[in-house]
Amino acid sequence: MDAAATSPYAGRRCGVTGAGGALGRALLRSLLEAGADPVALRHGQAALSLELDDGSSQPIETVAWAVGEEEALAPVLAGLDVLVINHGINPLGARDAEALRRSLEVNTLSALRLFELMLALPPRPGRPREVWVNTSEAEVSPAFSPLYEISKRTLGELVSLRSLDADGSCTVRRLVLGPFRSELNPYGVMRAEGVARAVLHQAAAGRRLVIVTPNPLTWLLMPAVEAARQLYYRAVTRRRDP
Ligand SMILES: NC(=O)c1ccc[n+]([C@@H]2O[C@H](COP(=O)([O-])OP(=O)(O)OC[C@H]3O[C@@H](n4cnc5c(N)ncnc54)[C@H](OP(=O)(O)O)[C@@H]3O)[C@@H](O)[C@H]2O)c1
């Protein structure tokens, strides 16, 4: 059957950050195939076009943004049904102060600011928005890049904590992905296209924890870690009174 006829994302406006990267492009293609209305969010001015299977090129609506200027995206985010927070950098073996600052700023803080902007949008009864946050299986296992692991694990922990306030107004999904080939990881064993298809499939099936990896430890550890975090955070924190 035609994917666009059955996908819950058909007709929905879906923005993806890090749109020009390997997974960003693959996600936008999968969303396009699912009948969604994809929007590329890029940290430069270059408009994005996707190569389609028939060799043609499909221009994608592109919005420029910059780390540190997330607030300027608020009107764009308000018009989205789904935001996929996907941008990221990998400082590999670096451990200097500048690499630390950049990793936290790009991978953690800018992602968190976009996440908070989505949570702050007014609820839309009957049509809840979604925010997907691409952390990594580096949340629970080594990626041979300590600053990458720390910045992604911190993002994951903060998303677990803040998701407690999302209720039904915004559906939060976490993407926990294993290694796929890209500029960020030239040695990845999976292909971004296959990863994107699996992500969309699991999201369409309603999974909040979207795991795509050949590593069995991630399948065991990540749900347990997430459940433990939620229990602990619920026990020792409370919602701020309005
Ligand atoms: N590759 C893997 O093995 C792997 C595994 C697990 C998770 N991930 C995660 O998946 C996401 C996508 O990674 P990828 O492998 O597709 O990497 P990629 O091809 O390097 O794409 C990352 C994209 O992020 C954007 N970006 C880079 N620097 C930025 C900055 N300073 N400010 C804002 N945006 C910036 C760029 O897109 P624009 O130029 O379009 O803005 C870039 O193309 C990342 O969050 C990564 O951590 C990757």
Side-chain angles (χ1 to χ4, degrees):
M1 198 185 292
D2 182 8
T6 54
S7 173
Y9 297 105
R12 303 194 79 190
R13 199 168 154 76
C14 304
V16 179
T17 69
L23 188 66
R25 285 173 185 268
L27 281 170
L28 288 164
R29 258 179 71 133
S30 291
L31 286 164
L32 199 62
E33 284 164 11
D37 177 12
V39 182
L41 304 175
R42 302 203 69 188
H43 83 301
Q45 296 295 328
L48 190 78
S49 286
L50 296 177
E51 298 299 319
L52 302 185
D53 286 341
D54 62 7
S56 64
S57 173
Q58 167 81 45
I60 299 293
E61 178 183 342
T62 306
V63 177
W65 74 287
V67 166
E69 294 169 19
E70 292 79 11
E71 195 75 40
L73 270 184
V76 176
L77 301 185
L80 295 179
D81 294 297
V82 179
L83 173 67
V84 186
I85 301 173
N86 167 68
H87 64 281
I89 55 170
N90 186 349
L92 297 169
R95 63 178 185 214
D96 56 283
E98 175 55 17
L100 165 60
R101 188 197 64 74
R102 261 175 52 79
S103 305
L104 288 179
E105 186 60 20
V106 177
N107 289 351
T108 312
L109 295 175
S110 93
L112 201 64
R113 288 191 284 260
L114 292 171
F115 180 75
E116 289 292 348
L117 285 167
M118 288 300 284
L119 289 199
L121 289 171
R124 287 188 316 189
R127 200 173 155 92
R129 294 185 174 81
E130 296 193 13
V131 56
W132 305 1
V133 185
N134 185 358
T135 60
S136 165
E137 70 178 358
E139 273 201 65
V140 289
S141 52
F144 309 106
S145 175
L147 285 178
Y148 180 75
E149 292 158 24
I150 291 164
S151 60
K152 289 288 190 170
R153 192 183 314 130
T154 305
L155 174 62
E157 288 177 344
L158 293 170
V159 165
S160 301
L161 178 69
R162 293 289 299 128
S163 297
L164 297 180
D165 284 350
D167 296 333
S169 62
C170 188
T171 302
V172 179
R173 303 191 197 284
R174 172 93 49 95
L175 313 187
V176 180
L177 310 179
F180 58 87
R181 267 184 305 290
S182 70
E183 197 170 307
L184 184 145
N185 180 3
Y187 308 108
V189 291
M190 299 187 288
R191 290 180 64 243
E193 291 73 17
V195 173
R197 274 194 294 273
V199 165
L200 223 68
H201 182 74
Q202 292 188 36
R207 290 191 67 116
R208 302 285 182 117
L209 205 49
V210 172
I211 302 177
V212 184
T213 178
N215 182 352
L217 271 181
T218 304
W219 288 92
L220 285 173
L221 285 176
M222 196 62 223
V225 164
E226 179 58 11
R229 279 180 194 163
Q230 294 233 355
L231 268 177
Y232 173 59
Y233 295 158
R234 273 186 209 282
V236 302
T237 63
R238 64 184 174 82
R239 181 193 289 271
R240 189 177 163 185
D241 293 332

